[in-house]
Amino acid sequence: MTLPGFRAELPHGLAALRIALGVAILISPELWHAPQFAAQPEALRFAPEGLGWISKHVPIRLELAYAAQAILIACCVLAIAGVASQLAMAGVTLSGLPVFGLSQLSGAVIHDMHLFWLSTLLAVSPCGDAFSIGQRIRRRPQPSAAPSMIYGVPLQLSRMLLGIVYFFPGFWKLATSGLAWITSDNLRNQLYWKWYQLGREPPALRL
């Protein structure tokens, strides 16, 4: 079966996406700062527009933040290793939403939603058919080296999702500022703002 705009691919690309996504989540500051945001008094929580109802109806407690954080870390490790890959990715989605959602209460909108779009996509895709310890544990043969649409469709969908993530911010930057976004002092000021947000300057050697 063929679909317009899609092509058959090997399982290794989907497996590489599974591993890269697990690593990206494990090194994200939002994962490790979640308990800190959960411990803040309610007066210091600022939900972005559209998410205020969640902060009012979802319990925010330190012990729940630690539990969700532990589940997310465990699911990421399992996904990277390829143990019950699809189930692990489902766990990444379900536990990652509340953990990363806590960082959204800091007053700044953090654009990390694509991580969980991709984890949801991987949860319903055969992402554990390569680079997987789970296959060795179950003693299942490696999948055929022939490309297949069951790997090509989710990979192409993931590319489309990433394209959406980067297209619209770029479009609105050009629409509101034109080339001045990059040719004026705006980029320098953006870097200053980010350093202030992080509370530290980068090393002396900078790209």
Side-chain angles (χ1 to χ4, degrees), residues 64-85:
L64 294 178
Y66 275 122
Q69 182 190 54
I71 293 171
L72 179 54
I73 292 170
C75 288
C76 284
V77 172
L78 290 173
I80 292 169
V83 178
S85 301

Side-chain angles (χ1 to χ4, degrees), residues 65-161:
Y66 275 122
Q69 182 190 54
I71 293 171
L72 179 54
I73 292 170
C75 288
C76 284
V77 172
L78 290 173
I80 292 169
V83 178
S85 301
Q86 289 179 270
L87 185 60
M89 275 299 166
V92 166
T93 300
L94 294 176
S95 60
L97 289 175
V99 170
F100 276 60
L102 287 169
S103 295
Q104 302 291 349
L105 302 178
S106 64
V109 177
I110 301 173
H111 298 284
D112 50 26
M113 70 295 293
H114 60 286
L115 297 175
F116 303 102
W117 294 353
L118 294 175
S119 67
T120 302
L121 179 61
L122 289 170
V124 296
S125 306
C127 61
D129 283 0
F131 308 139
S132 171
I133 293 176
Q135 280 197 319
R136 298 183 181 277
I137 294 175
R138 296 191 302 270
R139 296 183 180 179
R140 286 176 54 186
Q142 292 291 323
S144 169
S148 171
M149 292 293 284
I150 66 172
Y151 309 116
V153 169
L155 270 174
Q156 184 63 13
L157 289 175
S158 69
R159 296 181 187 114
M160 292 167 64
L161 288 174

Side-chain angles (χ1 to χ4, degrees), residues 48 78 174 183 191:
L78 290 173
L174 285 175
T183 58
L191 291 172

